[in-house]
Structures are given as structure tokens and as C-alpha cells.
Amino acid sequence: MYCAIYKSSKKDSTYLYVNRKDDLGDVPQQLLQTFGNPQFVMMVNLDKREKLATADLDKVKESLQRDGFYLQLPPPLDAVLQHIRVNNTKL
């Protein structure tokens, strides 16, 4: 299963996954207005991936099949701070 990934021109660390490059027809118009001008990042073969950097691979596949798109939002600030704390603790 291939998908195209776009980054938002308005929202940092916000990405939109769609089934086909340059085909945003399944994405609601209101979401596109908030997202801004989609900037193409890359094509990805999800079947050859065991995981994605910050998105749940199974949720991405399910959403692409069900809705035709997946919106990846940045993690909440608390989660980011917790990750930094865990990785910076002294042994």
C-alpha cells in the first residue's frame, strides 16, 4: 500500500497522508483550509514498513482505507517534555 505524505504550510509538525499523490479529493475542504497549502514530502510503501516515526502504522493504513486520508498531528507538549525528561535522566 503506497501513500503520499504532505506537510502543512500553516501548522508545524502536521502531516497529511493520502492514497495517491496530488489527489486530495477525499480530504474535507475545511481540513484543507486549516492545513494550508499541502507541500509534498514523499511517497511511502506502508507494506514495507514495520513502523512510522510518530504515527501508528495500523491506524494510518486503517484511516487511508476507510477515509482516504490520515492526519498526523504533533504530539502534545506534555508528551514531548516527558520524552525529553526520560532520555535525559542520569544513570
Side-chain angles (χ1 to χ4, degrees):
M1 165 185 258
Y2 282 89
C3 73
I5 302 175
Y6 293 85
K7 69 178 181 175
S8 172
S9 61
K10 290 185 177 181
K11 307 278 185 184
D12 283 340
S13 301
T14 302
Y15 295 88
L16 186 61
Y17 296 63
V18 294
N19 288 311
R20 289 171 299 284
K21 186 177 181 205
D22 299 329
D23 183 1
L24 304 173
D26 290 329
V27 182
Q29 199 60 34
Q30 187 173 11
L31 173 58
L32 286 175
Q33 290 173 351
T34 303
F35 191 79
N37 185 31
Q39 299 172 345
F40 178 73
V41 176
M42 70 175 126
M43 293 292 296
V44 174
N45 184 346
L46 297 175
D47 292 331
K48 295 200 176 203
R49 299 276 180 148
E50 291 184 21
K51 64 180 184 172
L52 296 169
T54 58
D56 181 295
L57 181 60
D58 292 329
K59 287 182 182 179
V60 172
K61 287 180 175 181
E62 180 183 322
S63 184
L64 285 169
Q65 290 173 346
R66 183 187 62 235
D67 304 321
F69 70 95
Y70 174 82
L71 179 64
Q72 177 184 316
L73 299 171
L77 186 55
D78 288 344
V80 173
L81 291 174
Q82 182 63 27
H83 177 76
I84 291 169
R85 285 185 195 120
V86 167
N87 289 323
N88 286 329
T89 57
K90 293 183 180 181
L91 299 175

